[in-house]
Amino acid sequence: MCMDKKIFIPITILIVFVIIAIATCSGSGKVVVDYVKVPPVKYSMNTMELKVYVENSGSMDAYMCPGSNLKDAVFDYVSDLRKYAHSCTLYYINSQVIPYKGNLNSYIKDLDPVAFAKAGGDRGNTDLRKILSDVMQVHKSNTVSVLVSDCILDIPESATDFFGNCQVSIKNIFNEALAKNPNLGVVIMKLQSKFDGYWYCGSNSEKLSNVKRPYYIWVIGDKKYLSELNKKVPVTNIIGGIQEYCAYSGSMAIPFEIGKKKYVINHTGKITVQILADLNSSLQSEMLIRNISQYKTSTPAQSYIISVDKITEKGSPYSYVLNVEINNPSIIKTETITFSYPYLPSWVSETNDSTGLDLKKNIHKTTGIMPLIKGVAEAYKSSIEFGSITFNLKNK
Protein backbone atom coordinates (compact mmCIF):
# COMPACT_ATOMS: atom_id res chain seq x y z
CA MET A 1 0.00 0.00 0.00
CA CYS A 2 1.37 3.43 -0.99
CA MET A 3 2.38 5.82 1.73
CA ASP A 4 0.24 8.91 2.02
CA LYS A 5 1.87 11.85 0.24
CA LYS A 6 1.19 14.09 3.25
CA ILE A 7 3.36 11.81 5.40
CA PHE A 8 5.99 10.98 2.75
CA ILE A 9 7.05 14.57 1.95
CA PRO A 10 7.78 15.65 5.57
CA ILE A 11 9.72 12.42 6.20
CA THR A 12 11.79 12.99 3.06
CA ILE A 13 12.57 16.55 4.09
CA LEU A 14 13.51 15.37 7.59
CA ILE A 15 15.89 12.74 6.18
CA VAL A 16 17.57 15.36 3.96
CA PHE A 17 18.07 17.67 6.97
CA VAL A 18 19.53 14.82 9.02
CA ILE A 19 22.00 13.95 6.23
CA ILE A 20 23.08 17.59 5.92
CA ALA A 21 23.45 17.90 9.68
CA ILE A 22 25.59 14.77 9.86
CA ALA A 23 27.81 16.00 7.01
CA THR A 24 28.13 19.43 8.55
CA CYS A 25 28.96 18.16 12.01
CA SER A 26 31.32 15.43 10.86
CA GLY A 27 34.39 15.59 13.08
CA SER A 28 32.77 18.19 15.34
CA GLY A 29 33.43 18.26 19.06
CA LYS A 30 35.28 20.21 21.70
CA VAL A 31 38.97 20.10 22.58
CA VAL A 32 40.79 21.63 25.52
CA VAL A 33 44.46 22.59 25.17
CA ASP A 34 46.37 22.02 28.39
CA TYR A 35 49.99 23.03 28.99
CA VAL A 36 52.56 24.11 31.56
CA LYS A 37 53.43 27.74 30.92
CA VAL A 38 57.12 28.61 30.61
CA PRO A 39 57.33 32.23 31.78
CA PRO A 40 59.55 34.78 30.03
CA VAL A 41 62.71 35.77 31.87
CA LYS A 42 63.48 39.43 32.48
CA TYR A 43 67.13 40.37 32.18
CA SER A 44 69.04 43.25 33.71
CA MET A 45 71.95 44.73 31.74
CA ASN A 46 73.25 46.87 34.58
CA THR A 47 76.45 44.85 34.97
CA MET A 48 77.28 44.30 31.29
CA GLU A 49 80.89 45.08 30.35
CA LEU A 50 81.55 45.84 26.67
CA LYS A 51 84.97 45.01 25.24
CA VAL A 52 85.74 46.04 21.64
CA TYR A 53 88.66 44.59 19.67
CA VAL A 54 89.72 45.80 16.21
CA GLU A 55 92.35 43.69 14.50
CA ASN A 56 95.31 45.90 13.53
CA SER A 57 97.27 43.46 11.38
CA GLY A 58 98.71 44.60 8.05
CA SER A 59 95.84 43.01 6.14
CA MET A 60 93.44 45.47 7.81
CA ASP A 61 95.30 48.64 6.73
CA ALA A 62 93.53 48.88 3.37
CA TYR A 63 90.12 49.06 5.09
CA MET A 64 91.24 52.28 6.80
CA CYS A 65 91.22 54.31 3.60
CA PRO A 66 89.22 57.54 3.12
CA GLY A 67 85.53 56.73 2.78
CA SER A 68 85.88 53.49 4.73
CA ASN A 69 82.50 51.88 5.41
CA LEU A 70 84.10 49.85 8.18
CA LYS A 71 84.89 52.85 10.36
CA ASP A 72 81.36 54.24 10.01
CA ALA A 73 79.74 50.88 10.78
CA VAL A 74 81.92 50.17 13.82
CA PHE A 75 81.45 53.69 15.18
CA ASP A 76 77.68 53.47 14.72
CA TYR A 77 77.26 49.99 16.19
CA VAL A 78 79.58 50.38 19.17
CA SER A 79 78.10 53.80 19.99
CA ASP A 80 74.67 52.20 20.31
CA LEU A 81 75.91 49.15 22.23
CA ARG A 82 77.77 51.14 24.86
CA LYS A 83 74.58 52.98 25.87
CA TYR A 84 73.49 49.77 27.58
CA ALA A 85 76.87 48.81 29.04
CA HIS A 86 78.17 49.40 32.54
CA SER A 87 81.62 49.97 31.03
CA CYS A 88 83.26 50.02 27.59
CA THR A 89 86.92 49.09 27.02
CA LEU A 90 88.66 49.45 23.66
CA TYR A 91 91.54 47.42 22.24
CA TYR A 92 93.62 46.72 19.17
CA ILE A 93 94.48 43.04 18.69
CA ASN A 94 96.89 40.97 16.59
CA SER A 95 99.56 38.74 18.16
CA GLN A 96 98.67 40.41 21.46
CA VAL A 97 95.88 42.40 23.07
CA ILE A 98 96.71 46.13 23.05
CA PRO A 99 94.61 48.39 25.31
CA TYR A 100 93.56 51.73 23.86
CA LYS A 101 93.56 54.58 26.40
CA GLY A 102 91.43 57.16 24.58
CA ASN A 103 87.65 57.42 24.15
CA LEU A 104 85.48 55.99 21.38
CA ASN A 105 85.66 59.14 19.25
CA SER A 106 89.46 59.13 19.19
CA TYR A 107 89.50 55.35 18.79
CA ILE A 108 87.55 55.60 15.54
CA LYS A 109 89.62 58.58 14.42
CA ASP A 110 92.78 56.56 15.04
CA LEU A 111 91.65 53.65 12.90
CA ASP A 112 94.36 54.16 10.27
CA PRO A 113 97.59 52.39 9.20
CA VAL A 114 99.83 54.82 11.10
CA ALA A 115 98.02 54.29 14.41
CA PHE A 116 97.83 50.55 13.72
CA ALA A 117 101.60 50.33 13.24
CA LYS A 118 102.28 52.56 16.25
CA ALA A 119 100.11 50.36 18.48
CA GLY A 120 102.54 47.47 17.99
CA GLY A 121 102.28 43.70 18.03
CA ASP A 122 103.15 41.32 15.22
CA ARG A 123 101.22 42.78 12.31
CA GLY A 124 102.75 40.54 9.66
CA ASN A 125 101.42 37.11 10.60
CA THR A 126 98.19 37.21 12.56
CA ASP A 127 96.64 33.95 13.71
CA LEU A 128 92.84 34.12 14.12
CA ARG A 129 93.00 31.13 16.44
CA LYS A 130 95.17 33.07 18.85
CA ILE A 131 93.05 36.21 18.49
CA LEU A 132 89.87 34.36 19.46
CA SER A 133 91.69 32.51 22.23
CA ASP A 134 93.00 35.80 23.68
CA VAL A 135 89.52 37.35 23.53
CA MET A 136 87.92 34.40 25.32
CA GLN A 137 90.62 34.14 27.98
CA VAL A 138 89.56 37.48 29.48
CA HIS A 139 85.87 37.01 28.67
CA LYS A 140 83.64 36.84 31.77
CA SER A 141 79.99 35.93 32.27
CA ASN A 142 79.00 39.62 32.23
CA THR A 143 81.19 40.49 29.21
CA VAL A 144 80.05 41.21 25.68
CA SER A 145 83.04 41.02 23.34
CA VAL A 146 82.97 42.64 19.89
CA LEU A 147 85.70 41.57 17.44
CA VAL A 148 86.21 43.35 14.10
CA SER A 149 88.42 41.47 11.63
CA ASP A 150 88.82 40.54 7.97
CA CYS A 151 89.01 36.92 9.24
CA ILE A 152 91.60 35.92 6.64
CA LEU A 153 93.51 32.82 7.63
CA ASP A 154 97.18 33.09 6.66
CA ILE A 155 97.75 29.85 4.78
CA PRO A 156 101.23 28.37 5.31
CA GLU A 157 103.13 26.87 2.40
CA SER A 158 102.40 23.37 3.69
CA ALA A 159 98.64 23.63 4.21
CA THR A 160 97.53 20.00 3.92
CA ASP A 161 95.87 19.87 7.34
CA PHE A 162 95.80 23.60 8.08
CA PHE A 163 92.06 24.23 7.71
CA GLY A 164 91.10 21.11 9.64
CA ASN A 165 93.46 21.98 12.49
CA CYS A 166 92.09 25.52 12.56
CA GLN A 167 88.51 24.27 12.77
CA VAL A 168 89.35 21.97 15.69
CA SER A 169 91.20 24.78 17.50
CA ILE A 170 88.18 27.09 17.23
CA LYS A 171 85.87 24.29 18.39
CA ASN A 172 88.07 23.73 21.44
CA ILE A 173 88.12 27.45 22.29
CA PHE A 174 84.32 27.63 22.34
CA ASN A 175 83.90 24.24 24.03
CA GLU A 176 85.98 25.58 26.92
CA ALA A 177 84.00 28.84 26.94
CA LEU A 178 80.68 26.95 26.99
CA ALA A 179 81.89 24.79 29.86
CA LYS A 180 82.34 28.00 31.88
CA ASN A 181 79.10 29.59 30.68
CA PRO A 182 76.54 27.29 28.97
CA ASN A 183 74.49 30.41 28.12
CA LEU A 184 77.22 31.82 25.88
CA GLY A 185 76.01 33.00 22.48
CA VAL A 186 77.86 33.98 19.31
CA VAL A 187 76.70 36.32 16.55
CA ILE A 188 78.74 36.60 13.33
CA MET A 189 77.99 39.28 10.74
CA LYS A 190 79.47 39.69 7.30
CA LEU A 191 79.77 43.29 6.11
CA GLN A 192 81.46 45.04 3.20
CA SER A 193 83.77 48.04 3.07
CA LYS A 194 85.80 50.10 0.66
CA PHE A 195 89.28 48.63 0.34
CA ASP A 196 92.27 50.54 -1.02
CA GLY A 197 95.71 49.05 -0.45
CA TYR A 198 97.46 45.73 -0.11
CA TRP A 199 95.68 42.43 0.38
CA TYR A 200 97.71 39.80 2.23
CA CYS A 201 97.23 36.07 2.65
CA GLY A 202 100.20 34.06 3.87
CA SER A 203 103.08 34.76 1.50
CA ASN A 204 100.74 36.17 -1.17
CA SER A 205 99.97 39.86 -1.59
CA GLU A 206 98.32 42.07 -4.19
CA LYS A 207 97.68 45.79 -4.53
CA LEU A 208 94.00 46.65 -4.89
CA SER A 209 92.50 50.03 -5.60
CA ASN A 210 88.99 51.29 -4.86
CA VAL A 211 87.32 47.88 -4.50
CA LYS A 212 85.02 46.47 -1.84
CA ARG A 213 86.01 43.60 0.38
CA PRO A 214 84.18 41.65 3.11
CA TYR A 215 84.96 41.95 6.80
CA TYR A 216 83.25 40.56 9.89
CA ILE A 217 81.93 41.61 13.26
CA TRP A 218 81.74 38.91 15.94
CA VAL A 219 79.63 39.57 19.04
CA ILE A 220 80.16 37.10 21.89
CA GLY A 221 78.39 37.07 25.24
CA ASP A 222 75.70 35.59 27.43
CA LYS A 223 72.59 35.14 25.30
CA LYS A 224 70.55 37.12 27.84
CA TYR A 225 72.67 40.15 26.93
CA LEU A 226 72.83 39.43 23.21
CA SER A 227 69.07 38.90 22.90
CA GLU A 228 68.39 42.22 24.63
CA LEU A 229 71.00 44.01 22.51
CA ASN A 230 69.51 42.55 19.33
CA LYS A 231 66.18 44.11 20.33
CA LYS A 232 67.59 47.46 21.41
CA VAL A 233 70.32 47.72 18.76
CA PRO A 234 69.10 45.78 15.68
CA VAL A 235 72.02 44.77 13.48
CA THR A 236 69.87 45.61 10.46
CA ASN A 237 70.22 49.28 11.47
CA ILE A 238 74.02 49.36 11.22
CA ILE A 239 75.16 52.10 8.82
CA GLY A 240 75.77 50.59 5.40
CA GLY A 241 73.86 47.45 6.30
CA ILE A 242 75.07 43.89 6.80
CA GLN A 243 75.36 41.31 4.05
CA GLU A 244 74.96 38.10 6.01
CA TYR A 245 74.20 36.95 9.53
CA CYS A 246 74.42 33.78 11.57
CA ALA A 247 74.24 33.02 15.28
CA TYR A 248 74.74 30.19 17.74
CA SER A 249 73.01 29.78 21.09
CA GLY A 250 72.65 26.93 23.57
CA SER A 251 69.38 25.02 23.90
CA MET A 252 66.78 26.16 26.41
CA ALA A 253 63.13 25.87 27.39
CA ILE A 254 61.27 28.28 25.10
CA PRO A 255 59.09 30.71 27.09
CA PHE A 256 55.50 30.47 25.82
CA GLU A 257 51.83 30.57 26.61
CA ILE A 258 48.61 29.81 24.74
CA GLY A 259 45.86 32.39 25.15
CA LYS A 260 42.88 30.26 24.10
CA LYS A 261 42.35 26.90 25.80
CA LYS A 262 38.97 25.72 24.48
CA TYR A 263 38.32 24.96 20.81
CA VAL A 264 35.32 23.76 18.82
CA ILE A 265 36.11 21.44 15.93
CA ASN A 266 34.03 22.52 12.95
CA HIS A 267 33.08 20.69 9.76
CA THR A 268 36.69 20.94 8.47
CA GLY A 269 37.91 18.81 11.36
CA LYS A 270 40.60 21.38 12.18
CA ILE A 271 41.54 23.88 14.86
CA THR A 272 44.19 26.61 14.80
CA VAL A 273 46.21 27.10 17.98
CA GLN A 274 48.05 30.40 18.47
CA ILE A 275 51.17 30.15 20.61
CA LEU A 276 52.88 33.24 22.00
CA ALA A 277 56.61 32.49 22.25
CA ASP A 278 59.83 34.31 23.08
CA LEU A 279 62.44 33.20 20.56
CA ASN A 280 64.83 36.14 20.98
CA SER A 281 67.34 34.08 22.97
CA SER A 282 67.91 31.90 19.92
CA LEU A 283 69.70 34.99 18.49
CA GLN A 284 68.46 34.07 15.02
CA SER A 285 67.36 36.61 12.43
CA GLU A 286 63.70 37.47 11.96
CA MET A 287 63.81 35.95 8.48
CA LEU A 288 64.96 32.61 9.84
CA ILE A 289 62.57 32.58 12.82
CA ARG A 290 59.64 33.26 10.48
CA ASN A 291 60.71 30.45 8.14
CA ILE A 292 58.21 27.65 8.89
CA SER A 293 60.65 25.02 7.60
CA GLN A 294 62.71 25.57 10.78
CA TYR A 295 59.91 24.03 12.85
CA LYS A 296 58.95 20.37 13.30
CA THR A 297 55.88 18.89 14.97
CA SER A 298 55.78 15.52 16.71
CA THR A 299 52.66 14.54 14.70
CA PRO A 300 53.41 15.94 11.22
CA ALA A 301 50.48 14.10 9.64
CA GLN A 302 48.07 16.06 11.85
CA SER A 303 49.89 19.25 12.89
CA TYR A 304 51.90 21.85 11.02
CA ILE A 305 52.96 25.49 11.32
CA ILE A 306 51.03 27.71 8.90
CA SER A 307 52.76 30.98 9.83
CA VAL A 308 55.06 32.69 12.33
CA ASP A 309 54.31 36.37 12.90
CA LYS A 310 56.39 38.92 14.75
CA ILE A 311 54.74 40.64 17.73
CA THR A 312 55.07 44.40 17.36
CA GLU A 313 53.20 45.38 20.50
CA LYS A 314 55.53 47.29 22.82
CA GLY A 315 56.05 45.75 26.21
CA SER A 316 55.04 42.25 25.13
CA PRO A 317 57.13 39.59 26.89
CA TYR A 318 56.84 37.45 23.75
CA SER A 319 58.41 38.03 20.35
CA TYR A 320 56.45 35.83 17.91
CA VAL A 321 53.07 34.16 17.38
CA LEU A 322 53.17 30.59 16.07
CA ASN A 323 49.98 29.63 14.24
CA VAL A 324 49.57 25.86 14.39
CA GLU A 325 46.88 24.10 12.37
CA ILE A 326 45.80 20.71 13.73
CA ASN A 327 43.79 18.13 11.78
CA ASN A 328 41.61 15.71 13.74
CA PRO A 329 42.72 17.11 17.11
CA SER A 330 40.50 14.63 18.94
CA ILE A 331 42.96 11.83 18.10
CA ILE A 332 46.05 13.67 19.34
CA LYS A 333 47.00 13.57 23.00
CA THR A 334 50.26 15.52 22.99
CA GLU A 335 51.96 17.83 20.51
CA THR A 336 55.56 19.08 20.62
CA ILE A 337 56.87 21.80 18.34
CA THR A 338 60.65 22.06 17.95
CA PHE A 339 62.57 25.06 16.61
CA SER A 340 66.01 24.52 15.04
CA TYR A 341 68.58 26.73 13.36
CA PRO A 342 71.07 25.76 10.61
CA TYR A 343 74.31 24.06 11.56
CA LEU A 344 76.12 26.07 8.89
CA PRO A 345 74.30 28.66 6.74
CA SER A 346 74.83 28.32 2.98
CA TRP A 347 76.40 31.78 2.73
CA VAL A 348 79.45 30.56 4.69
CA SER A 349 80.56 28.08 2.01
CA GLU A 350 79.62 30.55 -0.74
CA THR A 351 81.86 33.18 0.88
CA ASN A 352 84.76 30.83 1.57
CA ASP A 353 87.97 30.83 -0.47
CA SER A 354 90.15 27.79 0.20
CA THR A 355 93.28 28.72 -1.76
CA GLY A 356 94.14 32.40 -1.30
CA LEU A 357 95.37 32.53 -4.89
CA ASP A 358 92.98 33.88 -7.53
CA LEU A 359 92.05 37.11 -5.74
CA LYS A 360 90.30 38.85 -8.64
CA LYS A 361 87.99 35.86 -9.06
CA ASN A 362 87.40 35.73 -5.30
CA ILE A 363 87.33 39.45 -4.54
CA HIS A 364 84.15 39.11 -2.48
CA LYS A 365 85.30 35.99 -0.67
CA THR A 366 87.38 35.40 2.47
CA THR A 367 90.18 32.86 2.68
CA GLY A 368 89.41 30.42 5.48
CA ILE A 369 86.16 31.87 6.81
CA MET A 370 84.46 28.45 6.66
CA PRO A 371 86.75 26.59 9.11
CA LEU A 372 86.48 29.53 11.51
CA ILE A 373 82.67 29.51 11.59
CA LYS A 374 82.47 25.73 11.27
CA GLY A 375 84.63 25.47 14.41
CA VAL A 376 81.99 27.51 16.27
CA ALA A 377 79.24 25.38 14.74
CA GLU A 378 80.94 22.21 15.96
CA ALA A 379 80.97 23.53 19.53
CA TYR A 380 77.21 24.18 19.28
CA LYS A 381 76.21 21.15 17.17
CA SER A 382 74.20 19.61 20.02
CA SER A 383 72.26 22.88 20.40
CA ILE A 384 71.04 23.56 16.87
CA GLU A 385 67.72 22.06 18.02
CA PHE A 386 67.23 25.20 20.08
CA GLY A 387 64.13 24.34 22.07
CA SER A 388 60.59 23.00 22.05
CA ILE A 389 57.02 23.78 23.07
CA THR A 390 54.71 21.01 24.36
CA PHE A 391 50.97 21.02 24.97
CA ASN A 392 48.24 18.43 25.52
CA LEU A 393 44.84 18.06 23.85
CA LYS A 394 41.87 16.62 25.69
CA ASN A 395 38.42 15.80 24.35
CA LYS A 396 35.57 17.45 26.18
Side-chain angles (χ1 to χ4, degrees):
M1 187 172 64
C2 294
M3 185 181 293
D4 191 288
K5 288 184 179 181
K6 290 182 180 181
I7 300 174
F8 177 77
I9 294 174
I11 290 175
T12 303
I13 294 173
L14 179 62
I15 292 171
V16 170
F17 273 116
V18 169
I19 293 172
I20 293 173
I22 292 172
T24 302
C25 296
S26 177
S28 67
K30 293 181 180 180
V31 172
V32 173
V33 173
D34 185 31
Y35 65 98
V36 177
K37 177 182 176 181
V38 179
V41 180
K42 292 185 178 180
Y43 301 122
S44 171
M45 302 180 69
N46 294 335
T47 61
M48 187 190 86
E49 296 180 358
L50 182 65
K51 295 181 182 293
V52 181
Y53 305 84
V54 173
E55 183 190 347
N56 69 320
S57 64
S59 65
M60 290 288 287
D61 285 355
Y63 289 98
M64 305 306 151
C65 57
S68 167
N69 308 84
L70 182 151
K71 291 197 281 189
D72 289 341
V74 172
F75 192 24
D76 179 44
Y77 188 50
V78 174
S79 294
D80 287 342
L81 291 180
R82 72 170 182 167
K83 291 189 297 185
Y84 303 99
H86 174 70
S87 63
C88 179
T89 315
L90 308 170
Y91 304 90
Y92 294 133
I93 192 167
N94 49 52
S95 62
Q96 63 190 66
V97 178
I98 306 164
Y100 182 85
K101 297 180 180 180
N103 59 29
L104 180 59
N105 288 335
S106 60
Y107 182 66
I108 298 298
K109 185 178 179 180
D110 287 344
L111 290 180
D112 61 53
V114 174
F116 276 7
K118 187 178 178 180
D122 183 357
R123 303 180 66 240
N125 186 20
T126 304
D127 188 339
L128 266 297
R129 293 169 293 185
K130 186 177 188 311
I131 284 180
L132 284 166
S133 177
D134 288 346
V135 168
M136 297 313 298
Q137 279 182 4
V138 295
H139 189 96
K140 298 182 293 185
S141 60
N142 67 328
T143 302
V144 170
S145 298
V146 176
L147 171 64
V148 182
S149 170
D150 59 4
C151 288
I152 293 177
L153 285 179
D154 286 335
I155 304 176
E157 291 183 8
S158 178
T160 306
D161 300 316
F162 177 70
F163 289 132
N165 289 340
C166 177
Q167 178 181 311
V168 173
S169 295
I170 301 300
K171 178 185 72 173
N172 290 340
I173 290 169
F174 283 95
N175 274 339
E176 291 174 10
L178 283 165
K180 295 177 182 177
N181 179 13
N183 291 321
L184 187 76
V186 182
V187 169
I188 303 169
M189 293 173 275
K190 176 187 174 184
L191 301 90
Q192 185 175 258
S193 178
K194 184 180 177 183
F195 187 99
D196 200 340
Y198 279 94
W199 166 87
Y200 298 97
C201 180
S203 59
N204 299 321
S205 65
E206 189 168 337
K207 179 76 164 60
L208 299 173
S209 179
N210 198 27
V211 299
K212 289 191 174 182
R213 289 277 300 154
Y215 72 97
Y216 302 83
I217 297 179
W218 294 51
V219 189
I220 306 166
D222 193 299
K223 60 187 177 186
K224 68 184 179 185
Y225 293 134
L226 300 192
S227 63
E228 286 296 305
L229 290 174
N230 277 353
K231 287 192 293 184
K232 298 177 184 298
V233 188
V235 298
T236 51
N237 291 350
I238 295 176
I239 286 180
I242 64 172
Q243 289 191 307
E244 302 290 354
Y245 177 100
C246 68
Y248 294 89
S249 177
S251 301
M252 63 176 286
I254 297 175
F256 81 99
E257 67 175 281
I258 303 172
K260 184 179 178 181
K261 293 187 176 182
K262 296 179 180 180
Y263 296 83
V264 175
I265 307 171
N266 61 19
H267 66 281
T268 65
K270 300 177 182 179
I271 63 171
T272 300
V273 178
Q274 289 190 323
I275 302 171
L276 305 176
D278 182 12
L279 294 168
N280 284 332
S281 292
S282 72
L283 308 180
Q284 302 305 311
S285 67
E286 180 183 344
M287 181 180 295
L288 189 134
I289 291 176
R290 296 187 65 177
N291 184 348
I292 60 175
S293 65
Q294 301 302 136
Y295 300 82
K296 291 183 179 179
T297 60
S298 56
T299 57
Q302 276 78 41
S303 305
Y304 48 91
I305 306 291
I306 55 175
S307 68
V308 178
D309 302 319
K310 187 173 182 179
I311 296 174
T312 58
E313 179 185 352
K314 289 185 178 181
S316 173
Y318 301 103
S319 53
Y320 291 88
V321 177
L322 280 59
N323 297 294
V324 188
E325 191 164 275
I326 302 176
N327 292 316
N328 300 319
S330 58
I331 68 172
I332 302 174
K333 292 184 178 180
T334 301
E335 181 59 83
T336 297
I337 299 165
T338 304
F339 171 66
S340 302
Y341 58 83
Y343 165 76
L344 196 69
S346 59
W347 70 261
V348 177
S349 59
E350 292 165 1
T351 300
N352 185 63
D353 167 36
S354 59
T355 65
L357 296 175
D358 193 348
L359 177 59
K360 288 185 171 59
K361 181 180 178 181
N362 298 307
I363 194 70
H364 298 301
K365 295 186 178 183
T366 300
T367 307
I369 189 62
M370 186 158 71
L372 283 176
I373 298 180
K374 198 170 183 179
V376 180
E378 278 292 295
Y380 283 90
K381 66 180 179 181
S382 62
S383 303
I384 59 173
E385 190 174 280
F386 174 71
S388 60
I389 293 169
T390 298
F391 56 90
N392 304 313
L393 296 107
K394 299 178 179 179
N395 294 326
K396 188 177 180 183

